[in-house]
Amino acid sequence: MKHFLAIADLSTAEFNSILATAKKLKAEWRKRGNKPILKNKTLGMVFQKPSLRTRVSFDMAMLQLGGQALYLSPNEIGLGQRESIADVSRVLSRYVDGIMARVFAHAHVTELAKYSSVPVINGLSDHEHPCQAMADVLTIVEHAGKLKGKRIVFLGDGNNVARSLMYACMLGGGQFVCSSPKGYTIDDESVAQAQKLAGKSGGTVELIEDPQAAAKDADVLYTDVWASMGQESEAAERAKIFPPYQINSALVACAKEDCIVLHCLPAHRGGEITDDVMDGPHSVVFDQAENRMHAQKAIVALLMAGKRSKK
Ligand code: CP
Ligand code: NVA
């Protein structure tokens, strides 16, 4: 694995290796703290959008593995504006041992990777949120026992988070269902790519418009904001269309009795999820948020450990 840009790019072996490494590093962290396997290694973090989880979890992941992260805010670099993406990548990769980037267009993160001499990690683009999906799978495995054969139902906008989760379900043999209003489900091309990715894993994809029918017998209910970062101008219109897809107690009642509820966060409480569900017995959203750090430790370790440090 040279970069970590999309779940769709991973082989089953790479996916399993990230998951196994995350479990191992999490257990080690709980027992006696992690070993400094990234001593003197540095991660440059380029942000074109705001963040709580991605920023802090990568920062702590690097610190706890003996390395260091450098935060570069949206105003600092001017990716593609002050300087071309190719030049930012060429320069930054002379200084640091890895680059994590949160961008608008997915093409921007692939462009960074193209010109970088160090590994590049996608910390969210309009197309995928692959670090999130690895944390999601870790959380599903911890709380539901496994991913294979589980019914994972994503409700709301067929967005970056939904797409990465779908690909992850394909690699891990999950039964992925996306339930969205007309015109907002995952695009046909991504669905076809997912079905190809499933190979012999047993993973399946279904698009079911009716949220109650979709949620029936679910092992996992998952939602995300109805308007993603960059779609703020559509938020008011979407707020009129999406309410039937809200995860509330009535919808949870359609799922299995022991279902878990996930949300990548930040949540709009009272929008895509109600307070009682978010704070209720099915919700594992804060375990999921913690798992960002463990999943990303695995990603940086697999990409950066053992290589010569620039420090
Ligand atoms: N889930 C997630 O990526 O959160 P942030 O936007 O706060 O990083
Ligand atoms: N779909 C959301 C996820 C935020 C973590 C967005 O892209 O804004």
Side-chain angles (χ1 to χ4, degrees), residues 268-280:
H268 292 146
R269 288 167 174 261
E272 72 275 2
I273 190 164
T274 54
D275 278 327
D276 62 327
V277 172
M278 179 114 164
D279 301 325

Side-chain angles (χ1 to χ4, degrees), residues 87-159:
D87 286 350
V88 167
S89 183
R90 287 179 179 117
V91 172
L92 195 53
S93 58
R94 296 284 180 111
Y95 301 137
V96 297
D97 301 292
I99 297 171
M100 191 284 295
R102 165 165 286 195
V103 298
F104 283 99
H106 189 72
H108 293 176
V109 80
T110 54
E111 179 91 348
L112 275 172
K114 186 172 168 194
Y115 293 98
S116 173
S117 56
V118 298
V120 174
I121 298 166
N122 178 4
L124 182 148
S125 69
D126 59 354
H127 194 67
E128 278 221 34
H129 196 358
C131 297
Q132 183 67 54
M134 292 312 309
D136 299 343
V137 172
L138 180 60
T139 313
I140 292 168
V141 171
E142 285 174 348
H143 286 276
K146 59 180 182 174
L147 175 58
K148 201 169 175 63
K150 297 288 176 185
R151 184 173 170 91
I152 317 294
V153 180
F154 185 95
L155 295 128
D157 188 25
N159 62 14

Side-chain angles (χ1 to χ4, degrees), residues 2-113:
K2 201 167 160 218
H3 302 289
F4 182 76
L5 304 180
I7 300 288
D9 293 346
L10 297 180
S11 66
T12 308
E14 287 166 338
F15 173 78
N16 289 336
S17 159
I18 296 170
L19 199 57
T21 307
K23 282 187 206 162
K24 197 184 101 203
L25 290 171
K26 183 171 180 178
E28 183 185 270
W29 172 78
R30 283 225 164 121
K31 257 195 178 154
R32 54 184 177 274
N34 294 123
K35 297 189 190 93
I37 54 173
L38 292 183
K39 187 163 185 280
N40 286 340
K41 294 278 164 57
T42 50
L43 181 73
M45 307 196 293
V46 177
F47 281 91
Q48 286 191 306
K49 301 176 186 175
S51 168
L52 167 62
R53 280 143 291 271
T54 305
R55 182 193 171 165
V56 181
S57 57
F58 265 109
D59 210 332
M60 294 307 115
M62 287 302 294
L63 185 77
Q64 291 171 19
L65 293 177
Q68 197 177 336
L70 174 71
Y71 172 71
L72 296 155
S73 74
N75 299 332
E76 266 166 308
I77 293 206
L79 197 66
Q81 283 163 346
R82 182 169 182 266
E83 202 166 355
S84 78
I85 294 174
D87 286 350
V88 167
S89 183
R90 287 179 179 117
V91 172
L92 195 53
S93 58
R94 296 284 180 111
Y95 301 137
V96 297
D97 301 292
I99 297 171
M100 191 284 295
R102 165 165 286 195
V103 298
F104 283 99
H106 189 72
H108 293 176
V109 80
T110 54
E111 179 91 348
L112 275 172

Side-chain angles (χ1 to χ4, degrees), residues 240-288:
K240 290 186 212 146
I241 301 169
F242 280 81
Y245 296 85
Q246 179 187 64
I247 301 191
N248 50 36
S249 53
L251 204 77
V252 173
C254 300
K256 283 198 182 141
E257 232 170 90
D258 61 350
C259 78
I260 57 167
V261 172
L262 298 178
H263 191 311
C264 60
L265 307 180
H268 292 146
R269 288 167 174 261
E272 72 275 2
I273 190 164
T274 54
D275 278 327
D276 62 327
V277 172
M278 179 114 164
D279 301 325
H282 297 278
S283 169
V284 293
V285 300
F286 299 111
D287 289 347
Q288 182 187 5

